[in-house]
Amino acid sequence: DGGITQSPKYLFRKEGQNVTLSCEQNLNHDAMYWYRQDPGQGLRLIYYSQIVNDFQKGDIAEGYSVSREKKESFPLTVTSAQKNPTAFYLCASSRTGLTHGYTFGSGTRLTVV
Amino acid sequence: DQQVKQNSPSLSVQEGRISILNCDYTNSMFDYFLWYKKYPAEGPTFLISISSIKDKNEDGRFTVFLNKSAKHLSLHIVPSQPGDSAVYFCAASSNYGGSQGNLIFGKGTKLSVKP
């Protein structure tokens, strides 16, 4: 079955440490996205990539970095520069030329301790 | 500047009744609209969509209505069931302009269906 997998489900990080969230899809989608969800804030776009080896900043990219070396993978690194990293992170993918919407992963809950 | 607005953070409905979730948008270039349903600690799942060339789309208990002149869409769930209790996100996209087809999400409405 095709799908999008995020790991781990829960992640704890000490302040000042970088951490990388994994996102893998086998849907053959060209585009991939990272969103952050906070209570009362909805889904806010962090980074997106329409094609391999290219990515663009979203609305709240500060303190985050991404790479897109393979079509299937779009890891997100939460750096120590991110002021408030505790959140629920969602990865999504879609076909280029969006008419079908996104397929989302099950999310990663990051907590800074 | 919110382009997609869901002004009701929460909605409570009795089982069997109709649930109506509302969404307003400001960008007249949006040409495709979607509703997603999200349970706690899970990713959103696609529910129903509508193109701007239509004013209604129906799928089982779910119907989405689009009023382009008012820049308003709504999701109707009839009859509502306890399993419908979730957060519902409205989303919009445009294949024109700087958004490059990215989905813009509202902040969500938490629906509670009481038995």
Side-chain angles (χ1 to χ4, degrees), chain B residues 6 8 21-22 35-39 47 61-62 75 77 81 83-90 106-113:
Chain B
Q6 293 178 258
S8 298
L21 295 93
N22 293 304
W35 284 94
Y36 281 83
K37 177 180 180 179
K38 184 183 180 302
Y39 293 116
L47 194 57
R61 295 187 297 115
F62 303 92
L75 174 68
I77 306 173
Q81 299 173 354
D84 296 328
S85 297
V87 176
Y88 289 79
F89 289 99
C90 173
K107 292 188 175 183
T109 297
K110 183 177 182 180
L111 174 65
S112 299
V113 180

Side-chain angles (χ1 to χ4, degrees), chain A:
Chain A
D1 286 340
I4 183 165
T5 302
Q6 290 186 243
S7 61
K9 182 75 172 176
Y10 299 95
L11 190 56
F12 295 88
R13 188 197 90 175
K14 292 183 179 179
E15 277 195 50
Q17 288 182 339
N18 293 356
V19 63
T20 298
L21 283 61
S22 169
C23 179
E24 304 277 334
Q25 55 98 0
N26 59 3
L27 298 164
N28 201 32
H29 285 171
D30 290 305
M32 297 187 74
Y33 312 81
W34 275 105
Y35 284 88
R36 168 180 172 144
Q37 185 189 14
D38 297 282
Q41 292 290 329
L43 304 178
R44 293 186 290 168
L45 182 64
I46 304 172
Y47 267 99
Y48 64 98
S49 168
Q50 303 279 8
I51 195 170
V52 175
N53 292 322
D54 187 50
F55 49 82
Q56 307 295 330
K57 292 182 179 179
D59 300 319
I60 54 165
E62 186 176 350
Y64 299 98
S65 66
V66 293
S67 63
R68 187 84 188 278
E69 297 176 1
K70 298 186 299 182
K71 187 176 184 178
E72 302 80 19
S73 178
F74 191 41
L76 173 74
T77 297
V78 184
T79 75
S80 57
Q82 169 49 234
K83 301 294 184 203
N84 187 20
T86 295
F88 188 59
Y89 291 87
L90 286 160
C91 180
S93 68
S94 74
R95 297 182 208 170
T96 306
L98 181 79
T99 56
H100 300 276
Y102 297 172
T103 301
F104 280 88
S106 57
T108 293
R109 166 69 65 183
L110 173 64
T111 303
V112 174
V113 297

Side-chain angles (χ1 to χ4, degrees), chain B residues 85-102:
Chain B
S85 297
V87 176
Y88 289 79
F89 289 99
C90 173
S93 74
S94 167
N95 285 320
Y96 305 95
S99 68
Q100 298 181 16
N102 291 343

Side-chain angles (χ1 to χ4, degrees), chain B residues 8-27:
Chain B
S8 298
S10 62
L11 175 67
S12 183
V13 171
Q14 204 68 30
E15 181 179 7
R17 299 290 187 106
I18 184 172
S19 295
I20 300 176
L21 295 93
N22 293 304
C23 179
D24 298 294
Y25 61 95
T26 57
N27 188 342

